[in-house]
Amino acid sequence: MKWKNLMDRVPGLPGDPSHIAHVALRTYSLALSLSLGPSLLPFVLSRVAPRSTGSTKYNGRALLKVLRRELGHDGFAFAMTLAIAGGEALNRYFSAEASGEVPAEGSPTAEPRRTLRSLLARLSAAQRTFVANFVSSAISILLIQAGRDRSLRLRNNPPSMDAIPLTVSIPHSLRSGVAVPSPTLDLTLLLLVRAVDSLCQSFVFTRCNNAPEKSTLPTKIPDEMDDVHEEEKQFRRRRLGLTTRIDALVFWACGARIMWCFFYRPARLPRAYVKWIGSLAAVDPRLPEALRAIRTGRWSYIHGSPKESHLLTSLSQDLGYPPAWGDPSALPAFGGRAANVTWTKLGVHNRSGVGGIPCELVHGGITSRFGLDGSCTANAVVRGAYAFAEAMAIYLPVHLLPVLLGRPSSLLQPHKAISVLLGAARSATFLSTFVSSYYFTVCVTRTLAFARLFPSVSHDFWDGPYGCIMAACLTCGSSIWIENGRRRGEMALYVLPRAIRTLLPNSWLRGNRPLARGLERLVFVLSFATLITGAMHKPHSLRGLSKWTAAFILKGPRAGFRKTGDQISN
């Protein structure tokens, strides 16, 4: 009885889902799941497969450090909660001061408060929201970086290095020195891209919005209302058409840059991203090493490569071919009749008129089970099929999860289930076409067409950074037109931060300089404040994950989960 009376005195959460307490709880839960979940995964795997994960590194002491890091006041979850919920609280205080709801008389601080009230009254509601979130996010980024710096100092435990989602991983060789990349760089770039997209969407909405205001609709007669609805539909089509074209262009450019860096400058990309691309492309690591050696002149068909020739000779042996097929000194540098003589000696029967390494080495034995190692078309088709199967495992949950969270009963309807399945298949087709078109363009450039048309051009060029690789990089991104128009934007926003990262100066990626850190903090704060301001005052400027996350945090689960499938990606 006493326990029941005690519980009755405990205040409950307010019923309003937009209350600050609810906002803080949802923010903390979501941020903690993003940071603590990946950090705990190695501990779980070490119990399931201890030999493959190195279970000695993931002991109880390491677990306590991870929990201390993530649950502490300088952890990612608390810092993000302070940024969002603190900004909301400060914004409400600013609004109350500007409207005069908070009395400013009869206290020592009356004069400063009257000055503050005067300043706030001159600002619009959106401007007050921006200032409030600017202040809260500035404190947030300082907390996040302070916590990350503390984790770096405790470098006896490797798991403590993975503290923040979407951050740069730190090589062990750099942990003990001062020249370490910013731990929040990837997170800052993500916010920057989303904020710029919000501004662009607002601009496109303003330029395309020629439809009448909705408030005028009740005053129209029925025929005029039909005209208004038609104008609204035209406006939506214009906005979607312009946005999807911009998204496709952005994805194409970013995809080309990322793939070029994957082969020639992988250090400019996150290591996990490089590993994922390599797995999806099923490329032997010795082949990119040889391409990088060609770019620097250490591997040449004309001058030979005494120090780097082992790269492809070992690959050739592993694929079951003579080592000479991968030796640049034994391969023809140019096409024509002289190349045919060399191919006859080496036993290569499908490279008449062209030089360079045989395509069998480029294909990597992916079609060996079908006996089609020398077929460029078969290589592209089989790789596309493998990529499709792997992409379906990625995209099916992506298309299915919003429906399960929003309206799971709709999956009982056959047409809805088929729609989700077709949507996932379309996305998987886009990714598989990306992979297959890359490989086929490489073969078209160096074997099937261009190298055959210009046999006097050395394969140091055709196999170099501005030959087949450049052509493939410029081609594969065109597969984005296969994807649903509404989802092109999310794909563009996914690759854009990584592409921007490859363009940053090496000093920013290799050294944590005060100027770079200060500029990053400023970008983080401005981007964060812009996103929250847009979510509160211009929700039409957000789309995709930004729109869903903002609606979920600020308005509640129903606002975040009520949209399904394509609607969430809008």
Side-chain angles (χ1 to χ4, degrees):
M1 192 68 169
K2 294 182 179 180
W3 175 255
K4 183 178 180 180
N5 293 335
L6 179 63
M7 293 301 296
D8 290 340
R9 297 179 182 179
V10 177
L13 290 175
D16 182 10
S18 62
H19 192 273
I20 295 177
H22 285 287
V23 173
L25 182 60
R26 289 192 296 267
T27 304
Y28 190 84
S29 302
L30 182 60
L32 189 63
S33 65
L34 292 175
S35 60
L36 187 59
S39 298
L40 293 181
L41 184 60
F43 293 92
V44 177
L45 294 179
S46 66
R47 299 295 182 267
V48 177
R51 294 183 180 180
S52 61
T53 58
S55 59
T56 57
K57 298 180 181 180
Y58 302 99
N59 51 31
R61 183 178 179 182
L63 178 60
L64 289 177
K65 287 187 177 182
V66 169
L67 294 176
R68 161 65 183 85
R69 181 192 68 224
E70 301 300 341
L71 301 177
H73 71 282
D74 53 3
F76 177 76
F78 181 83
M80 295 307 297
T81 303
L82 177 63
I84 297 178
E88 178 68 9
L90 190 59
N91 181 39
R92 295 189 181 188
Y93 171 77
F94 285 168
S95 299
E97 285 284 354
S99 61
E101 296 178 6
V102 180
E105 302 295 339
S107 66
T109 60
E111 186 62 28
R113 289 183 66 180
R114 278 195 296 267
T115 304
L116 175 63
R117 176 175 295 178
S118 176
L119 293 175
L120 293 175
R122 298 176 185 177
L123 301 177
S124 65
Q127 290 172 335
R128 289 195 296 269
T129 302
F130 183 88
V131 173
N133 285 280
F134 186 95
V135 174
S136 63
S137 59
I139 301 174
S140 173
I141 186 62
L142 292 176
L143 282 178
I144 294 176
Q145 291 183 340
R148 184 66 168 178
D149 291 340
R150 179 180 53 80
S151 296
L152 289 176
R153 290 192 296 270
L154 301 175
R155 57 183 180 274
N156 293 328
N157 191 355
S160 67
M161 304 305 300
D162 300 326
I164 307 171
L166 302 172
T167 57
V168 181
S169 56
I170 310 298
H172 182 73
S173 60
L174 296 177
R175 293 174 189 170
S176 58
V178 295
V180 294
S182 170
T184 54
L185 179 61
D186 287 345
L187 179 61
T188 301
L189 293 177
L190 174 67
L191 293 175
L192 172 63
V193 166
R194 296 283 174 170
V196 172
D197 178 69
S198 173
L199 297 176
C200 292
Q201 291 297 314
S202 180
F203 175 77
V204 171
F205 184 88
T206 303
R207 291 294 300 269
C208 295
N209 190 9
N210 295 321
E213 297 292 336
K214 291 184 178 181
S215 59
T216 64
L217 293 181
T219 64
K220 303 289 184 179
I221 62 176
D223 292 341
E224 292 177 338
M225 291 182 65
D226 292 339
D227 294 338
V228 169
H229 290 316
E230 184 62 29
E231 290 180 4
E232 288 182 345
K233 293 179 181 179
Q234 292 179 1
F235 155 65
R236 293 172 183 172
R237 285 196 294 266
R238 288 196 301 270
R239 182 189 179 192
L240 182 60
L242 180 59
T243 301
T244 54
R245 288 184 179 90
I246 296 175
D247 293 336
L249 178 62
V250 170
F251 180 88
W252 170 80
C254 292
R257 175 63 181 175
I258 289 173
M259 291 305 298
W260 195 88
C261 287
F262 168 77
F263 284 102
Y264 296 111
R265 291 188 175 182
R268 287 184 166 270
L269 295 169
R271 287 186 295 172
Y273 199 53
V274 172
K275 184 178 180 180
W276 179 77
I277 295 176
S279 173
L280 187 65
V283 58
D284 191 284
R286 288 169 291 187
L287 192 59
E289 283 291 335
L291 292 173
R292 288 190 282 272
I294 293 175
R295 180 172 180 259
T296 58
R298 295 177 288 112
W299 203 99
S300 171
Y301 295 104
I302 299 175
H303 306 291
S305 180
K307 295 183 179 180
E308 306 290 344
S309 59
H310 66 281
L311 290 173
L312 295 188
T313 55
S314 61
L315 176 61
S316 181
Q317 285 182 305
D318 292 344
L319 294 176
Y321 303 113
W325 284 24
D327 186 357
S329 60
L331 298 174
F334 302 91
R337 296 180 180 179
N340 297 338
V341 175
T342 304
W343 294 133
T344 301
K345 294 179 180 179
L346 294 176
V348 178
H349 306 292
N350 57 353
R351 287 196 70 79
S352 175
V354 293
I357 63 172
C359 270
E360 286 83 348
L361 303 189
V362 178
H363 300 165
I366 198 73
T367 56
S368 58
R369 67 178 63 182
F370 307 106
L372 299 171
D373 285 348
S375 173
C376 298
T377 303
N379 173 68
V381 171
V382 172
R383 286 185 178 275
Y386 285 156
F388 180 86
E390 186 172 347
M392 279 296 290
I394 298 174
Y395 282 114
L396 188 58
V398 171
H399 286 254
L400 190 62
L401 185 61
V403 182
L404 292 176
L405 294 176
R407 299 172 59 187
S409 59
S410 64
L411 289 176
L412 299 178
Q413 304 172 8
H415 72 278
K416 184 61 179 179
I418 294 176
S419 176
V420 172
L421 184 62
L422 292 178
R426 183 173 182 175
S427 298
T429 302
F430 142 72
L431 194 56
S432 64
T433 304
F434 186 98
V435 175
S436 60
S437 64
Y438 193 98
Y439 272 96
F440 191 69
T441 303
V442 167
C443 291
V444 167
T445 304
R446 67 180 306 272
T447 300
L448 300 178
F450 295 104
R452 198 173 297 276
L453 291 173
F454 304 98
S456 59
V457 178
S458 168
H459 269 263
D460 284 351
F461 171 80
W462 294 122
D463 291 346
Y466 305 109
C468 62
I469 298 299
M470 176 64 79
C473 291
L474 294 175
T475 302
C476 60
S478 301
S479 62
I480 189 63
W481 289 103
I482 298 176
E483 183 59 283
N484 181 282
R486 297 180 182 272
R487 296 188 179 275
R488 290 174 199 157
E490 201 61 39
M491 297 302 302
L493 295 176
Y494 175 76
V495 298
L496 186 54
R498 292 157 177 80
I500 294 176
R501 189 179 189 271
T502 65
L503 301 175
L504 295 178
N506 287 328
S507 59
W508 288 23
L509 298 177
R510 295 296 183 184
N512 196 1
R513 298 185 177 182
L515 178 61
R517 170 165 282 203
L519 183 58
E520 182 197 342
R521 289 172 178 172
L522 180 61
V523 171
F524 180 96
V525 170
L526 291 174
S527 302
F528 190 93
T530 300
L531 276 175
I532 299 300
T533 303
M536 297 185 65
H537 299 278
K538 293 184 178 181
H540 62 267
S541 66
L542 300 184
R543 55 177 177 160
L545 290 177
S546 302
K547 187 174 185 178
W548 176 86
T549 305
F552 169 73
I553 290 177
L554 298 176
K555 299 180 180 179
R558 292 185 177 180
F561 293 146
R562 66 186 176 186
K563 300 183 179 183
T564 60
D566 294 337
Q567 290 177 307
I568 288 180
S569 297
N570 186 9

